[in-house]
Amino acid sequence: MDTVTSADSPSEGPLSGRALCRLDEIPDGGATAVDAMLADGEESVILLRHGEQVQAYLNICPHTARRLDYAPGKFLLKNNTLICAVHGATFNQTDGLCVAGPCRGEHLRMVPIRVETDGTIHLAPGA
Ligand code: FES
């Protein structure tokens, strides 16, 4: 795996240039979780794939700050929503807005990422 050091990219954190995973490791219409080194430290990040597009959110539910997956990297997905496995809060996959459940109106925290032409997914600057 290629890495980018902070000297190569001074505005990013030391691990921000490392690929989180490859696009083809996520089933189209599916999701996975990866650990990523963000500005605040290492966090679990949800990656949701729709074709060539990927949305990324912290794997932290705004209801009680628990992970949303029912097993590591396994998520409840239905009709373009992501459902927290703990108490059932339902989030739009496209913008992270909670549309039903105990934290309705709150958002998952988006994580800036980019998909490279070689199919690797990286944190974007500011992550
Ligand atoms: S922790 Fe997610 S709905 Fe309660």
Side-chain angles (χ1 to χ4, degrees), residues 29-96:
T32 192
V34 295
D35 291 331
M37 185 60 72
L38 306 178
D40 297 337
E42 188 170 273
E43 297 283 0
S44 176
V45 173
I46 306 165
L47 299 175
L48 293 149
R49 179 182 173 194
H50 291 276
E52 305 302 305
Q53 303 289 318
V54 178
Q55 296 289 333
Y57 300 102
L58 283 186
N59 190 8
I60 299 174
C61 182
H63 179 218
T64 64
R66 295 185 43 194
R67 290 174 64 116
L68 289 90
D69 39 2
Y70 61 88
K74 303 294 184 189
F75 294 93
L76 301 170
L77 305 174
K78 184 177 180 185
N79 299 333
N80 207 29
T81 64
L82 166 65
I83 302 167
C84 179
V86 183
H87 305 112
T90 303
F91 301 89
N92 287 334
Q93 291 185 23
T94 50
D95 62 5

